[in-house]
Amino acid sequence: MSNNRLWHRLKNTTLDTLYKESLRHWELDACPLENYSVSRIYFGTEFCQRLLPSPEVIRNRYEIVKQHRVPFTFLTPYVTDDGISRVRKSLDSLSMLTDGEENGVEVVVNDWGVLSLIRRDYSGLTPVLGRILSKITKDPRIDFQNHEQFRHSLNVYQKTNITIAAVRHLLRRFGVERVEIDMPDQRLQMDADGLGIELSIHLGLNYVMTGRICMLGSLNASAGEKFKPARECQKECQKYRAFAENPLLRGRVYHQGNTVFFATPWHSDLVEYVQSLGVSRIIFAPDIPV
Amino acid sequence: MRITVPLKSIKDIDSLVKAGANEFYAGLVTREWHSRYGSSVEVNRRGFLGPRANFTSTANLAAAIQRCHELHRPVFITLNHLYYVDEQMDLVASILKTLNDIEADGVILADMGALLCAREVSPNLKILISGTEMTQNSETSQFYHELGAQRIILPRHLVVSEIRQIIANVPELEYEVFIMNGGCKFSEGLCTVTHSTEFGGLCQFLGLFCNYSYQRANYSPVSLSEEKNLRINELYYHKFFWPYYRTTGVSEFADICGLCAVRALMDAGVGALKIVGRNMSPERVRRQVQLLKRAVHHAATSSCTEDYHQRIKDLYPPPDMCDWGYRCYFPEVRHSNHT
């Protein structure tokens, strides 16, 4: 949950109320997700190091989550060396907050360097492999199940790199026991129990592409200064949202800052299907996760 | 500083070496891969292009490697699809063994499974980490060093000072950067869509066929003045690489370049400059190699960056490519004589 408005709302309402409001917002109030309750809250950023929160904000969010008596997961993005320094500050802050607690806070990593850093310097934190590092093809233009070129290889497009045993072995060496994956439109052909790893599935919004060049982040820059990789921004992605619809797309596409998301079509059996994969956690974003 | 050049045919080798190529990289689509997947699954980042960007015969690739070795030029093979899955690993291992047997000098990898496999089955191959594997910081560079990599191909959208810092922190590795062609608004390694010949990139699709709608973050409508600013910004954004710059003649330039930064990259410790585009015409590649050779010479012999920029004035791209600086690999060191 990255949206400030939702965090403020959470101060004055129950988790269940906020959850149900979010389902209604995405017009999912009639889907089986309504039978679930919130058992964990995510905070942080997967897609932009400029959005990494300050230690003060982390402390504030952590305290709110504690008040609601659910565990806390911190999200980290892909980063440059400057981003590594920022992540360090976040992890220092988290380590201090959770010192002495029985179960270490989860940290979702989307950069091999961050994973390496956690293993070496933050043994009290629990790394989780994020959806950027668990690779799978997602394309809002293609009906993989029925497309002439792709349907014959559906078994490849329904799997991720985590199906490779050597990769899972490496992850375990780095203390990773849980992996997060987007649920692609073409669905998954994976058995979490068989893989011997805990699976978390993002439902609803797939991340499709991301990078350091930010469309909205250049809104207030002069023409010659726009779209430079390391330029600082005014966090315009927190002020505006851009989206596109087109008959050739299988759902609405959100272009939020530096990242494009695809709102995958919902099917009535989706939650049941996810359960059949042995998935132990469903991740639902109440708002666009940037 | 070495010039790394795409290769797709043995007949191009001698002319490219004569133009200044120091090393080559090439793709291989084996018969086994093609018979299992046809054109439905890529083996490397230009796999969908088949023979237009790849060797499709192991024997032809072996002959090309032999010719390159006669000319003392190493050849690295791309096996850099963003990821493979369990059922593909037998073919990946088979390709790696073949590359080992035909004495390729190294393999360019993006997938962790392929990297771990290469360490076992192809011990003679140097491991190069693809730019699509997104080594953006020193920790990641060290991570790959410990896994046996010998060269990191740095991804797009790092600035020179960031590159310098990575190299200074992990100097045991070689470093390569993209210098010509193949620009992208997003990071290639963080993009999950197919780039098949039918569909191309989603970024292109969004730029060509979609008008964005805008809202405030709280879902309220934007004002007219806000909408105007957002749309102007979007127009500039679409100038950024797309529509790609298309030359009508035999210009050296395709869509993006980093000529202005060669001297700065040399100072930072970058060892190799990559010409992107295994599907480009051999003639354009040859002209780009010649251009880069001159740039590298000027970078090595100039007294400072300003001196270098003066010396390469006659090498600059046409003004309509250069003007905005959006088609620039290293815009922070851009120095155009057109503006």
Side-chain angles (χ1 to χ4, degrees):
Chain A
M1 201 166 76
S2 55
N3 187 314
N4 284 336
R5 182 177 54 83
L6 294 176
W7 281 99
H8 289 302
R9 181 103 178 87
L10 197 53
K11 283 180 186 170
N12 306 313
T13 191
T14 65
L15 260 182
D16 194 52
T17 304
L18 190 68
Y19 175 57
K20 297 284 162 57
E21 285 175 2
S22 302
L23 288 176
R24 275 197 295 280
H25 168 75
W26 290 103
E27 298 176 356
L28 296 173
D29 38 336
C31 98
L33 274 183
E34 203 185 28
N35 301 325
Y36 286 72
S37 58
V38 177
S39 57
R40 177 176 286 273
I41 296 183
Y42 281 46
F43 176 61
T45 172
E46 298 162 277
F47 303 105
C48 182
Q49 65 185 44
R50 299 179 190 97
L51 296 177
L52 276 165
S54 68
E56 293 73 30
V57 175
I58 291 173
R59 175 172 321 196
N60 171 274
R61 302 310 192 229
Y62 181 75
E63 292 301 330
I64 294 173
V65 171
K66 266 184 92 172
Q67 284 167 20
H68 287 276
R69 299 176 186 279
V70 289
F72 183 79
T73 294
F74 186 70
L75 297 159
T76 60
Y78 52 92
V79 289
T80 63
D81 275 333
D82 180 49
I84 287 280
S85 303
R86 297 188 200 197
V87 167
R88 264 191 183 284
K89 286 180 188 164
S90 301
L91 300 183
D92 287 342
S93 169
L94 276 175
S95 298
M96 284 202 312
L97 283 170
T98 59
D99 191 27
E101 289 194 9
E102 198 172 320
N103 298 313
V105 162
E106 276 186 2
V107 178
V108 175
V109 297
N110 285 294
D111 186 302
W112 293 112
V114 175
L115 177 60
S116 199
L117 180 75
I118 290 176
R119 184 183 69 153
R120 192 183 63 228
D121 295 343
Y122 298 92
S123 57
L125 302 174
T126 305
V128 172
L129 198 76
R131 55 177 155 174
I132 287 179
L133 293 180
S134 58
K135 311 273 187 185
I136 191 160
T137 303
K138 293 165 277 183
D139 198 318
R141 300 165 297 177
I142 302 175
D143 176 1
F144 283 91
Q145 310 263 9
N146 296 304
H147 190 278
E148 181 63 30
Q149 183 180 357
F150 298 109
R151 67 188 157 101
H152 301 298
S153 301
L154 199 57
N155 48 342
V156 172
Y157 287 105
Q158 289 181 323
K159 288 182 176 178
T160 82
N161 52 343
I162 307 304
T163 56
I164 299 171
V167 174
R168 296 196 302 277
H169 180 69
L170 179 95
L171 291 176
R172 285 196 197 95
R173 262 180 53 207
F174 278 77
V176 175
E177 299 287 345
R178 176 176 289 278
V179 173
E180 302 195 339
I181 306 171
D182 270 331
M183 171 55 78
D185 195 22
Q186 69 270 22
R187 301 208 168 179
L188 290 166
Q189 195 183 111
M190 290 169 69
D191 168 23
D193 296 334
L195 294 176
I197 204 153
E198 297 289 332
L199 278 189
S200 304
I201 298 286
H202 288 263
L203 289 187
L205 285 174
N206 282 348
Y207 114 80
V208 178
M209 49 198 189
T210 183
R212 293 186 82 193
I213 305 298
C214 184
M215 183 175 76
L216 282 176
S218 291
L219 180 65
N220 297 304
S222 63
E225 292 301 309
K226 286 181 187 287
F227 316 124
K228 290 187 174 176
R231 69 179 303 280
E232 286 299 321
C233 66
Q234 296 172 29
K235 298 187 172 58
E236 291 85 350
C237 60
Q238 305 298 296
K239 193 173 178 188
Y240 300 108
R241 57 186 75 247
F243 61 91
E245 289 171 313
N246 183 301
L248 296 173
L249 294 173
R250 292 174 56 74
R252 180 181 276 192
V253 164
Y254 292 89
H255 188 155
Q256 195 65 20
N258 64 343
T259 305
V260 171
F261 298 92
F262 166 37
T264 52
W266 274 87
H267 299 285
S268 55
D269 68 331
L270 189 58
V271 174
E272 191 182 341
Y273 173 74
V274 167
Q275 285 173 332
S276 74
L277 300 173
V279 168
S280 56
R281 185 184 299 172
I282 290 173
I283 305 167
F284 170 72
D287 203 347
I288 298 167
V290 165
Chain B
M1 189 174 241
R2 304 171 74 78
I3 301 171
T4 309
V5 179
L7 183 69
K8 59 185 171 187
S9 168
I10 191 170
K11 65 181 173 18
D12 301 327
I13 295 171
D14 287 52
S15 66
L16 290 170
V17 168
K18 192 176 172 193
N22 300 112
E23 54 190 31
F24 291 101
Y25 69 101
L28 172 66
V29 180
T30 60
R31 187 180 303 147
E32 293 76 17
W33 187 280
H34 191 263
S35 63
R36 189 184 294 181
Y37 295 118
S39 59
S40 66
V41 182
E42 286 192 302
V43 65
N44 62 52
R45 290 298 288 169
R46 294 277 197 286
F48 282 135
L49 294 171
R52 282 187 287 154
N54 295 279
F55 285 85
T56 51
S57 148
T58 305
N60 286 349
L61 178 61
I65 289 171
Q66 189 179 347
R67 179 60 189 150
C68 288
H69 287 175
E70 285 166 8
L71 298 170
H72 308 291
R73 299 298 190 273
V75 186
F76 308 120
I77 309 302
T78 58
L79 192 58
N80 65 339
H81 189 45
L82 295 187
Y83 69 99
Y84 302 103
V85 302
D86 51 358
E87 68 158 61
Q88 296 175 297
M89 288 313 289
D90 61 330
L91 285 183
V92 169
S94 165
I95 292 168
L96 286 164
K97 280 181 199 156
T98 299
L99 297 179
N100 201 62
D101 292 345
I102 63 175
E103 298 182 344
D105 294 273
V107 62
I108 301 171
L109 301 169
D111 173 66
M112 187 61 69
L115 190 161
L116 297 170
C117 181
R119 295 196 315 182
E120 281 191 16
V121 306
S122 52
N124 298 330
L125 293 178
K126 184 172 175 172
I127 293 176
L128 291 77
I129 301 299
S130 170
T132 58
E133 190 44 29
M134 301 303 296
T135 306
Q136 295 196 107
N137 59 66
S138 306
E139 290 283 353
T140 305
S141 187
Q142 182 64 31
F143 171 82
Y144 282 121
H145 177 42
E146 288 168 14
L147 285 177
Q150 284 137 301
R151 181 185 292 191
I152 301 287
I153 304 169
L154 293 165
R156 298 170 179 85
H157 307 157
L158 285 175
V159 299
V160 176
S161 59
E162 292 166 341
I163 290 171
R164 185 184 303 116
Q165 191 172 351
I166 293 170
I167 296 173
N169 288 341
V170 192
E172 297 87 352
L173 295 176
E174 299 170 14
Y175 292 89
E176 176 181 325
V177 298
F178 298 110
I179 200 73
M180 302 287 277
N181 324 315
C184 185
K185 291 170 180 172
F186 293 91
S187 294
E188 190 179 0
L190 305 177
C191 176
T192 70
V193 306
T194 67
H195 284 67
S196 68
T197 46
E198 179 184 346
F199 289 99
L202 179 65
C203 51
Q204 298 165 5
F205 179 91
L206 292 175
L208 285 171
F209 303 119
C210 296
N211 287 319
Y212 283 127
S213 301
Y214 291 96
Q215 289 176 329
R216 293 204 185 112
N218 63 3
Y219 299 98
S220 65
V222 292
S223 69
L224 277 178
S225 65
E226 285 176 313
E227 173 135 9
K228 182 182 160 195
N229 284 341
L230 287 159
R231 294 220 173 277
I232 289 172
N233 187 61
E234 186 184 328
L235 283 174
Y236 279 116
Y237 184 69
H238 293 320
K239 283 179 188 288
F240 187 91
F241 298 138
W242 183 260
Y244 283 4
Y245 181 79
R246 297 292 182 198
T247 51
T248 50
V250 277
S251 166
E252 293 85 343
F253 296 96
D255 62 354
I256 183 168
C257 95
L259 274 186
C260 294
V262 172
R263 164 77 196 220
L265 293 166
M266 187 180 277
D267 289 346
V270 171
L273 303 173
K274 168 167 273 172
I275 294 176
V276 181
R278 285 185 281 122
N279 54 323
M280 267 202 317
S281 77
E283 174 57 17
R284 181 177 270 179
V285 174
R286 191 184 65 77
R287 291 170 70 95
Q288 290 193 348
V289 174
Q290 287 178 324
L291 186 82
L292 268 181
K293 187 182 177 187
R294 289 172 65 195
V296 170
H297 170 75
H298 288 315
T301 55
S302 55
S303 59
C304 61
T305 300
E306 290 71 28
D307 181 30
Y308 168 69
H309 283 156
Q310 283 301 314
R311 292 196 197 190
I312 63 162
K313 270 188 165 180
D314 63 321
L315 308 182
Y316 279 129
D320 56 340
M321 175 171 159
C322 225
D323 273 354
W324 293 105
Y326 300 163
R327 291 161 189 164
C328 185
Y329 265 127
F330 303 97
E332 77 281 7
V333 287
R334 168 172 164 264
H335 183 277
S336 171
N337 60 347
H338 304 300
T339 53

